[in-house]
Amino acid sequence: MLFSYYELRDILDRLLRFLGVAYEVRPKKYTFLHEYISGEIVVYGKSIGFIGKLHPELCSKLEMGDTLVAEFSISELEKSLRSEISVKEINRLPFSSKNISVLLPKNYYVNEFVKFLEEYDTKNKNLRVESVRVVDIYEGSSIPEGFKSVNVLIRFQWVNEVKEDTEIKVVFMNMIKDIQEGLGFSVRGVE
């Protein structure tokens, strides 16, 4: 049972990465999907499907709760598969998790923020962003009008050797600075 759009995205990501397919989910509005929780699945520049949450009005009309969907063309996906699937050794070095809550404009696609974090240059050849996972999206009385609070878990992993935790703290503080000054978003909290 899925609990969020991001868990469905994670399943799609794992499947396509396992198959060795380069892809992205681009923001796109579909009449039957939620306005801000939807996108098209693009493989090597070609749209092969969609992913998102069914539109609330459609769910109400069909008398069903929140419903997540993903659909893509197997034949189009097949054309993108490499003849060989490469396997690489699992990095057994430890990772460190950091949690951050950021205020984003209500109409800002969370995927764009996640992509920024996933592709973040740590400027440290021995440390990389291993994964980014959206933990929670909150809109309530404590959040300013027109904004949503997005809580994200970021996993940093050592590449060659384990170093002092202070190196992770420096990278994380630079990331926070880039979020605030570069992207212009307010950071609500960090752990």
Side-chain angles (χ1 to χ4, degrees), residues 28-29 101 117 134:
K28 184 173 180 181
K29 295 180 182 179
S101 291
L117 297 175
V134 175

Side-chain angles (χ1 to χ4, degrees), residues 51-69:
I51 185 170
K53 184 177 180 180
L54 285 182
H55 196 284
E57 290 176 5
L58 180 60
C59 288
S60 177
K61 186 184 274 188
L62 297 173
E63 297 179 0
M64 53 196 302
D66 288 347
T67 304
L68 301 166
V69 294

Side-chain angles (χ1 to χ4, degrees), residues 38-169:
S38 62
E40 68 177 331
I41 303 167
V42 179
V43 174
Y44 300 117
K46 185 173 184 177
S47 178
I48 67 161
F50 61 85
I51 185 170
K53 184 177 180 180
L54 285 182
H55 196 284
E57 290 176 5
L58 180 60
C59 288
S60 177
K61 186 184 274 188
L62 297 173
E63 297 179 0
M64 53 196 302
D66 288 347
T67 304
L68 301 166
V69 294
E71 179 180 298
F72 53 87
S73 167
I74 297 293
S75 60
E76 289 299 323
L77 181 61
E78 238 177 0
K79 293 175 188 175
S80 305
L81 293 178
R82 294 188 216 147
S83 57
E84 296 178 24
I85 296 177
S86 62
V87 179
K88 67 179 186 176
E89 188 175 332
I90 295 173
N91 184 346
R92 300 202 185 280
L93 295 178
F95 60 86
S96 177
S97 296
K98 299 290 182 187
N99 199 295
I100 186 168
S101 291
V102 178
L103 279 179
L104 299 178
K106 206 171 194 173
N107 62 351
Y108 184 86
Y109 285 100
V110 176
N111 296 342
E112 294 298 315
F113 181 62
V114 169
K115 187 175 180 181
F116 168 80
L117 297 175
E118 287 174 338
E119 297 174 354
Y120 188 78
D121 180 6
T122 66
K123 296 178 180 57
N124 182 330
K125 293 179 182 177
N126 188 39
L127 189 64
R128 68 183 176 94
V129 174
E130 192 270 331
S131 67
V132 177
R133 184 169 63 91
V134 175
V135 177
D136 187 36
I137 299 175
Y138 176 72
E139 297 176 33
S141 59
S142 62
I143 305 301
E145 184 70 31
F147 288 88
K148 58 191 170 195
S149 175
V150 179
N151 183 284
V152 179
L153 182 68
I154 306 162
R155 281 177 45 162
F156 295 95
Q157 186 168 37
W158 299 106
V159 176
N160 299 312
E161 60 180 319
V162 178
K163 296 281 190 168
E164 296 292 321
D165 195 44
T166 53
E167 288 190 32
I168 294 175
K169 288 179 184 174

